[in-house]
């Protein structure tokens, strides 16, 4: 049921304040004055010790689910101290890459039925790794075959392009990072800030959804373009990849997510006064590096659209020199949840304006059950 919306993708984008609440329900504890703030993940509690002791954590997924894991990687590394590596399921299988008994392999999948991810799971089980599932589908193959796991609880996602599952996956993996990290005096303030940030996230998402009309206007401006680049780094490298994936899969426009740190190693050659470029430059430890990326793109007359924290328009585009998208600032590791939303809206409006099928893009299936 689409309710008052024209498309499922649109409904699912706008549902995110609620789907995120459902994802967190019963899992975040913010007790009274003497009670510490904690995270409870029932499906993992018997395995947390093993995960903490593992030699590395390997994230495995495809498409949007892979991108969600990439967004959560930095906070998992920071809080757990365990090395975290990333694998696209098909590539792990193609290489028959090494997976060891001492590894924790985390399988991320909205449907829980993606063939490549499932085959990678069988492979990791054969190699003796502890296998953790993060899926949105109770009783799915990945949920059944992993040793333990966490349900995303984002509610049924119908649009082929994944939106609300992506943000809920990031939140689940941030909670996973908190659960694995455990309480130490030295990280207490950071943990509390993240937990407070999680509680406030639905409201911040509601706030950023108000950019709907602004993103529609931007889509009008970009409707006839051949290509769109998205630059991000740090926590928002994943946002760049995921924003570009949304634009290409539903709006059928070429789009590429680029790690800003790689700009000078090739992509800079593409920059001219015609190619539109989204630069994600919200406040975090990478902000000054992104400012210098903006300056360099500017010097080459790049057509910039900068996503920045509220109030930063002048810090990123001096003298109104570029178009800005201002978003609420949240705890750095949760910023990808907020930042993807304007790009989801942009992809949605581009698709409608270009006259393509929003909920069932050509050639794509919601659940890819063949290799
Ligand atoms: C993109 C998209 C796909 C899926 C990918 C994995 O919007 O929907 O990239 O994310 O096919 O699917 P799941 O998460 O079901 O394993």
């Amino acid at each position: 049921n689409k309710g008052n919306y024209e498309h499922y993708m649109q409904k699912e984008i706008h549902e995110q304040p609620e789907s995120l609440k459902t994802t967190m329900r019963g899992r975040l504890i913010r007790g009274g004055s003497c009670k510490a703030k904690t995270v409870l993940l029932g499906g993992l509690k018997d395995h947390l010790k093993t995960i903490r002791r593992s030699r590395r954590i390997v994230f495995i997924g495809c498409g949007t689910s892979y991108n969600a894991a990439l967004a959560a990687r930095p906070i998992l590394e920071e809080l757990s101290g365990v090395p975290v590596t990333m694998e696209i399921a098909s590539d792990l299988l193609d290489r028959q890459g090494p997976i060891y008994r001492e590894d924790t392999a985390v399988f991320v999948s909205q449907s829980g039925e993606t063939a490549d991810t499932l085959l990678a799971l069988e492979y990791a089980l054969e190699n003796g790794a502890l296998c953790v599932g993060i899926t949105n589908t109770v009783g799915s193959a990945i949920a059944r075959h992993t040793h333990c796991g966490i349900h995303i609880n984002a509610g049924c996602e119908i649009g082929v392009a994944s939106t609300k599952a992506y943000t809920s996956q990031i939140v689940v993996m941030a909670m996973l990072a908190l659960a694995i990290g455990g309480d130490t005096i030295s990280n207490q303030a950071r943990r509390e800030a993240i937990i407070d940030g999680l509680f406030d996230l639905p409201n911040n998402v509601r706030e950023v959804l108000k950019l709907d009309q602004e993103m529609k206007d931007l889509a009008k401006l970009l409707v006839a373009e051949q290509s769109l680049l998205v630059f991000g780094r740090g926590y928002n490298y994943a946002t760049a990849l995921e924003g570009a994936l949304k634009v290409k899969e539903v709006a059928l426009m070429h789009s590429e997510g680029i790690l800003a740190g790689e700009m000078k190693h090739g992509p800079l050659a593409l920059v001219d006064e015609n190619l539109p470029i989204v630069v994600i430059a919200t406040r975090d430890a990478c902000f000054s590096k992104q400012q210098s990326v903006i300056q360099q793109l500017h010097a080459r007359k790049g057509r910039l659209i900068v996503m920045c924290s509220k109030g930063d328009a002048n810090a990123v585009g001096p003298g109104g020199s570029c178009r800005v998208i201002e978003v609420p600032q949240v705890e750095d590791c949760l910023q990808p949840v907020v930042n993807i939303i304007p790009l989801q809206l942009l992809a949605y409006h581009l698709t409608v304006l270009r006259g393509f099928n929003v909920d069932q893009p050509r050639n794509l299936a919601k659940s890819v059950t063949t290799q």
Side-chain angles (χ1 to χ4, degrees):
N1 187 323
K2 289 193 281 246
N4 293 328
Y5 295 102
E6 275 170 63
H7 303 97
Y8 284 110
M9 181 186 180
Q10 185 189 28
K11 172 173 177 272
E12 287 159 5
I13 292 172
H14 287 275
E15 236 166 48
Q16 289 176 104
E18 285 72 38
S19 53
L20 289 168
K21 262 191 203 157
T22 322
T23 297
M24 293 186 275
R25 185 162 300 142
R27 292 167 161 177
L28 283 182
I29 315 296
R30 191 157 57 169
S33 52
C34 55
K35 226 175 148 204
K37 299 173 183 180
T38 50
V39 171
L40 284 180
L41 297 171
L44 281 192
K45 67 176 187 321
D46 297 334
H47 296 86
L48 282 175
K49 263 197 189 146
T50 319
I51 301 175
R52 279 184 200 126
R53 266 189 259 139
S54 48
R55 186 158 84 174
R56 67 166 176 168
I57 296 167
V58 195
F59 273 130
I60 303 167
C62 307
T64 290
S65 293
Y66 174 90
N67 292 342
L70 188 65
R73 179 194 200 181
I75 193 59
L76 192 61
E77 284 178 334
E78 180 191 324
L79 294 182
S80 73
V82 180
V84 181
T85 63
M86 302 294 308
E87 291 284 358
I88 290 177
S90 66
D91 188 48
L92 176 68
L93 293 166
D94 289 347
R95 295 178 358 257
Q96 296 282 294
I99 296 283
Y100 302 106
R101 299 183 60 82
E102 299 80 11
D103 287 334
T104 295
V106 182
F107 295 84
V108 188
S109 172
Q110 190 283 130
S111 63
E113 302 289 347
T114 299
D116 286 329
T117 312
L118 197 51
L119 286 166
L121 168 58
E122 282 168 18
Y123 174 74
L125 286 169
E126 280 164 20
N127 285 281
L130 174 72
C131 294
V132 181
I134 296 183
T135 80
N136 197 29
T137 317
V138 178
S140 62
I142 291 172
R144 282 184 283 115
H145 292 118
T146 39
H147 296 113
C148 57
I150 316 169
H151 285 299
I152 299 162
N153 295 342
C156 185
E157 191 179 65
I158 293 169
V160 165
S162 184
T163 52
K164 64 175 181 170
Y166 177 72
T167 47
S168 282
Q169 282 167 337
I170 298 175
V171 160
V172 159
M173 288 181 269
M175 293 192 292
L176 174 68
L178 288 163
I180 297 175
D183 274 308
T184 62
I185 302 275
S186 62
N187 69 14
Q188 195 179 354
R190 173 71 158 151
R191 292 173 61 84
E192 289 191 5
I194 297 170
I195 294 175
D196 287 341
L198 285 167
F199 274 109
D200 294 342
L201 203 52
N203 279 335
N204 282 305
V205 166
R206 198 166 290 120
E207 195 58 35
V208 77
L209 281 165
K210 291 182 187 156
L211 293 174
D212 192 35
Q213 185 59 44
E214 203 177 313
M215 291 305 110
K216 191 173 178 180
D217 295 341
L218 182 60
K220 282 180 192 156
L221 215 72
L222 299 177
V223 66
E225 296 299 334
Q226 299 273 338
S227 184
L228 177 70
L229 299 188
V230 189
F231 279 64
R233 71 193 313 144
Y235 292 107
N236 289 289
Y237 172 35
T239 311
L241 295 186
E242 175 61 8
L245 177 57
K246 290 296 89 114
V247 170
K248 84 181 104 183
E249 78 173 320
V250 282
L252 317 189
M253 181 189 286
H254 171 255
S255 185
E256 220 182 307
I258 295 176
L259 185 65
E262 282 286 283
M263 179 179 73
K264 289 181 188 161
H265 304 289
L268 196 53
L270 289 171
V271 178
D272 62 14
E273 60 277 11
N274 301 314
L275 174 65
I277 305 174
V278 175
V279 183
I280 302 164
T282 40
R283 289 272 172 172
D284 61 19
C286 295
F287 181 65
S288 63
K289 287 188 184 172
Q290 280 305 71
Q291 276 181 307
S292 94
V293 162
I294 291 166
Q295 279 163 9
Q296 293 174 47
L297 291 170
H298 213 63
R300 279 149 189 95
K301 304 200 166 49
R303 221 179 120 194
L304 304 188
I305 301 144
V306 178
M307 186 184 295
C308 64
S309 303
K310 234 178 218 153
D312 261 351
N314 275 324
V316 295
S321 51
C322 49
R323 202 182 166 100
V324 296
I325 304 168
E326 289 189 60
V327 300
Q329 188 184 345
V330 299
E331 191 69 9
D332 53 12
C333 61
L334 304 176
Q335 195 69 51
V337 173
V338 169
N339 289 4
I340 193 57
I341 287 170
L343 302 178
Q344 292 173 343
L345 291 168
L346 176 65
Y348 170 75
H349 288 297
L350 275 174
T351 311
V352 173
L353 291 169
R354 284 160 72 91
F356 294 124
N357 189 325
V358 174
D359 288 327
Q360 292 201 306
R362 70 179 180 207
N363 312 336
L364 296 182
K366 181 67 183 160
S367 175
V368 185
T369 52
T370 53
Q371 257 194 306

